[in-house]
Amino acid sequence: MRDKLYTQSEILNLIDSYNIKDQTTRETIKKNYIRILDEFNIQPKEIMELGYAKNNVYSWSTKASPNVPMFDQALTVSVAFDFDVREFLKEI
């Protein structure tokens, strides 16, 4: 696994960027979550194996649900599957 090192300041900026302040941010995170599953070939079952409930995992990709992974959940997924957590915030 590649090491991704952040300064404390970068971590604070990342958390602030991820904080869900508006619907646009939620939509971006949700679209990226769906893209990440496909691009990194991650199955929802694999995310559930990290300890997340089935209902949560599926609601993150369901358009009808406003739910998205919280920052710590996104960070856990990104570490487990070896990609940068900033993938959740990309403009697509």
Side-chain angles (χ1 to χ4, degrees), residues 12-69:
L12 285 174
N13 287 334
L14 184 56
I15 291 170
D16 187 49
S17 296
Y18 196 93
N19 282 339
I20 301 160
K21 298 177 182 174
D22 58 36
Q23 188 60 28
T24 303
T25 305
R26 282 185 172 281
E27 289 172 3
T28 299
I29 293 169
K30 188 172 285 279
K31 287 177 185 176
N32 279 315
Y33 173 75
I34 294 166
R35 176 188 60 81
I36 287 164
L37 291 179
D38 184 54
E39 188 174 311
F40 293 93
N41 197 28
I42 301 169
Q43 299 299 312
K45 179 182 176 187
E46 294 174 296
I47 295 175
M48 287 180 247
E49 289 171 356
L50 298 174
Y52 297 112
K54 179 179 180 178
N55 291 346
N56 288 342
V57 172
Y58 283 109
S59 72
W60 296 341
S61 60
T62 303
K63 290 182 182 184
S65 170
N67 295 344
V68 295

